[in-house]
């Protein structure tokens, strides 16, 4: 598998994305239902218009690390 990391706050109204639904590669904000592609942060559905920041993830054995924004 591949791991992805994004910022947790929705770019529309700072909703908590960790409380949203993740289906395939799309996370949905529980507040106003903005959707984002976790692979690249792109907005998939409104009302958000700005993409999420994404972060590089490296895995070495059982240790995962989140790096600088990409």
């Amino acid at each position: 598998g591949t791991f992805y990391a994004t910022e947790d706050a929705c770019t529309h109204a700072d909703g908590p994305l960790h409380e949203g639904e993740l289906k395939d590669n799309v996370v949905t904000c529980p507040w106003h239902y903005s959707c984002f592609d976790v692979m690249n942060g792109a907005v998939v559905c409104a009302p958000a218009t700005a993409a999420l920041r994404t972060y590089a993830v490296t895995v070495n054995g059982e240790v995962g690390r989140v790096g600088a924004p990409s």
Side-chain angles (χ1 to χ4, degrees), residues 5-63:
T6 69
E7 63 184 303
D8 182 39
C10 175
T11 59
H12 169 250
D14 293 328
L17 294 177
H18 70 275
E19 294 179 10
E21 179 181 344
L22 178 64
K23 184 173 181 181
D24 297 322
N25 60 315
V26 175
V27 64
T28 302
C29 179
W31 286 4
H32 302 110
Y33 307 107
S34 294
C35 307
F36 302 90
D37 186 326
V38 297
M39 294 174 23
N40 57 24
V43 176
V44 176
C45 55
T49 58
L52 294 173
R53 281 179 289 190
T54 59
Y55 300 87
V57 176
T58 57
V59 178
N60 186 1
E62 294 184 16
V63 177

